[in-house]
Amino acid sequence: MKHTWRWFGPIDKVTVRDAAQAGAEGIVSALHHIATGAVWPVDEIEKRHREIKAGGLYWDVVESVPVSEDIKTQTGDWKGHIVNWQETLRRLSRSGIRTVCYNFMPILDWTRTDLRWETRHGAKAMRFDLTDFVAFDIHILRRPDANHDYPEWLIEASAKRFAELSGDRIAALGKNIGAGLPGSADGYTLEQLLEKLKTYQGIDRERLQSNLVDFLSQVVPVAEEVGINICAHADDPPWPLLGLPRILSTEADYAHMLSKVDSRANGVTLCTGSLGARPDNDLPQIARQFADRIHFVHLRNVTRDTEAVPCSFFEDEHLEGATDMVAVIATLLEEEKRRRLEGREDHRIAMRPDHGQEILDDLTRGAQPGYPAIGRLKGLAELRGIERALLHPHYGRV
């Protein structure tokens, strides 16, 4: 696989040269400073290429070209935003980009209640605490009818938890849950979040699925034309939040999306951490099922507190947690072998060590939550070790 590393641009406290020293060969990046819905300027695309090359690597994957809320709800200037998305694909293709990741999560991107939760050995990890989240929803955000979305035992537990929260913890929950896309400066106050939730009134799961298919029906032909694979990231966590529908949370969800717009250019960002938060998602099976359409891979692991859906979980070390990482990587390597025999240009699948625990000097560096230098270096080294062992001519499985 192609070993890549997410970089948030010059503001990132982890540099491209750091990534190269960690063993990465390519960079995953985006123009986070460009407004959602706007066309990415050619000079800004070229500038990002130069910044990455100056560090000794190349720009391999775009993560992400954001999909605006107008497109997701089909309101406002949604048609104009799709035209801009199409043009951005054309410009990225001319610059040499061949893979573009995106997500279709309503309002919130990945959602965590803790960005630096302390693990058993003192590392800091991201965590989703279900009771804290429900306490936020009912008692801090005070979303109308929030009580209707939870069982009685969880409502009672969240009320008890809320009564124990300090003022600083209440503020932290609002900031953590209301954060925008990773790498962006966007985010929502409580008042802004409540207003944004109103824009989804009348949009249920089926309507949001339909809007995704409409979007793909218009952008996939352009992707085919310019030689780009676009790939959808899973919901994170993979269940409804704040009364909003989620439509890319299970194997069935992806099967629906891929069947409705049946093109190799319409593919999957396989995130083992996002999908792994659900006990009913079999990650090796999902990798086998969609192997031909997997264009980008996020390898990380989570440990769930329970086997319920939804549940609390934290981001564990890359080889710990619920997902059989060896089986997933073996499936991906088999797919790469198959593609090489077919003569496909995209036979190498880009992967990156996703998120990572803050360890050692990470604890004082203050990098983007989930994207420390040493924690990801450790994860990449472990994942590369699995790959090397599986490909060994005498001992390997592939």
Side-chain angles (χ1 to χ4, degrees):
M1 292 183 284
K2 288 188 286 186
H3 305 145
T4 65
W5 186 274
R6 193 170 192 182
W7 185 60
F8 294 101
I11 65 169
D12 200 327
K13 294 185 179 180
V14 183
T15 68
V16 174
R17 194 163 295 279
D18 291 338
Q21 292 175 4
E25 57 186 297
I27 287 292
V28 174
S29 194
L31 303 184
H32 301 289
H33 57 290
I34 304 300
T36 298
V39 177
W40 285 13
V42 171
D43 59 341
E44 291 290 337
I45 294 172
E46 293 175 348
K47 181 182 177 183
R48 182 53 51 88
H49 275 291
R50 291 195 300 271
E51 292 166 342
I52 294 169
K53 287 179 181 177
L57 299 180
Y58 60 89
W59 191 5
D60 191 72
V61 178
V62 169
E63 183 183 356
S64 304
V65 178
V67 179
S68 71
E69 296 303 315
D70 283 6
I71 291 175
K72 294 171 192 172
T73 59
Q74 292 194 353
T75 59
D77 191 23
W78 69 278
K79 293 181 179 180
H81 287 184
I82 288 180
V83 170
N84 291 348
W85 221 88
Q86 294 169 324
E87 178 59 22
T88 294
L89 287 182
R90 296 186 184 98
R91 296 181 180 190
L92 288 170
S93 175
R94 288 195 291 269
S95 80
I97 294 292
R98 291 292 173 262
T99 307
V100 172
C101 173
Y102 72 96
N103 78 67
F104 218 77
M105 287 180 263
I107 301 179
L108 300 177
D109 196 82
W110 56 260
T111 302
R112 300 290 185 271
T113 56
D114 298 85
L115 302 183
R116 290 182 167 91
W117 178 78
E118 189 165 327
T119 69
R120 64 190 181 280
H121 48 55
K124 298 295 178 67
M126 295 202 290
R127 175 172 170 80
F128 179 86
D129 186 292
L130 181 60
T131 305
D132 275 1
F133 183 85
V134 176
F136 166 82
D137 193 8
I138 295 176
H139 301 285
I140 301 173
L141 183 63
R142 298 182 181 179
R143 177 172 63 90
D145 299 325
N147 282 9
H148 297 167
D149 291 342
Y150 306 108
E152 189 61 34
W153 70 266
L154 188 51
I155 293 172
E156 293 176 359
S158 70
K160 182 178 179 181
R161 178 70 56 83
F162 176 69
E164 299 169 348
L165 296 178
S166 67
D168 287 346
R169 178 57 179 162
I170 289 172
L173 280 173
K175 182 178 180 180
N176 295 347
I177 295 171
L181 284 167
S184 75
D186 297 334
Y188 301 107
T189 65
L190 298 180
E191 294 74 17
Q192 290 170 336
L193 183 53
L194 284 171
E195 284 301 310
K196 291 295 291 185
L197 289 173
K198 292 178 183 177
T199 65
Y200 277 83
Q201 289 178 355
I203 298 180
D204 58 11
R205 172 180 165 82
E206 289 70 28
R207 170 74 183 278
L208 191 61
Q209 282 183 317
S210 176
N211 291 355
L212 171 59
V213 171
D214 286 347
F215 166 71
L216 291 173
S217 296
Q218 296 179 69
V219 300
V220 168
V222 175
E224 292 174 332
E225 175 188 337
V226 301
I228 280 182
N229 289 325
I230 64 173
C231 39
H233 189 283
D235 302 325
D236 187 9
W239 48 71
L241 296 177
L242 303 179
L244 297 167
R246 298 279 215 174
I247 58 171
L248 288 173
S249 296
T250 66
E251 180 179 344
D253 289 344
Y254 271 108
H256 178 271
M257 179 197 78
L258 297 176
S259 67
K260 290 296 183 181
V261 183
D262 190 8
S263 164
R264 183 183 291 171
N266 175 34
V268 175
T269 297
L270 180 68
C271 181
T272 59
S274 297
L275 293 170
R278 288 183 68 113
D280 53 347
N281 279 335
D282 181 335
L283 268 300
Q285 163 59 24
I286 290 174
R288 289 190 294 271
Q289 177 69 20
F290 304 125
D292 183 56
R293 305 278 279 274
I294 293 173
H295 302 315
F296 185 31
V297 181
H298 293 176
L299 295 177
R300 64 180 170 90
N301 230 322
V302 302
T303 291
R304 303 183 294 263
D305 287 13
T306 69
E307 295 301 280
V309 178
C311 66
S312 300
F313 63 87
F314 75 94
E315 305 211 20
D316 212 330
E317 299 170 71
H318 285 78
L319 302 190
E320 303 301 325
T323 295
D324 183 345
M325 201 64 75
V326 174
V328 170
I329 293 175
T331 298
L332 297 172
L333 294 176
E334 288 284 2
E335 173 60 16
E336 286 191 323
K337 180 179 179 180
R338 190 190 66 79
R339 293 183 189 186
R340 283 194 298 272
L341 293 174
E342 276 190 5
R344 283 175 55 169
E345 292 184 3
D346 63 343
H347 62 85
R348 291 187 72 200
I349 301 171
M351 75 81 156
R352 66 174 178 84
D354 196 16
H355 298 177
Q357 295 185 352
E358 294 182 355
I359 58 176
L360 306 176
D361 290 354
D362 290 331
L363 295 168
T364 57
R365 186 188 292 256
Q368 174 83 15
Y371 294 94
I374 302 171
R376 281 188 292 167
L377 180 154
K378 176 175 178 283
L380 180 57
E382 293 171 338
L383 298 168
R384 292 170 69 198
I386 291 174
E387 181 179 2
R388 185 67 62 88
L390 289 170
L391 291 173
H392 193 283
H394 298 298
Y395 308 110
R397 292 165 48 184
V398 178

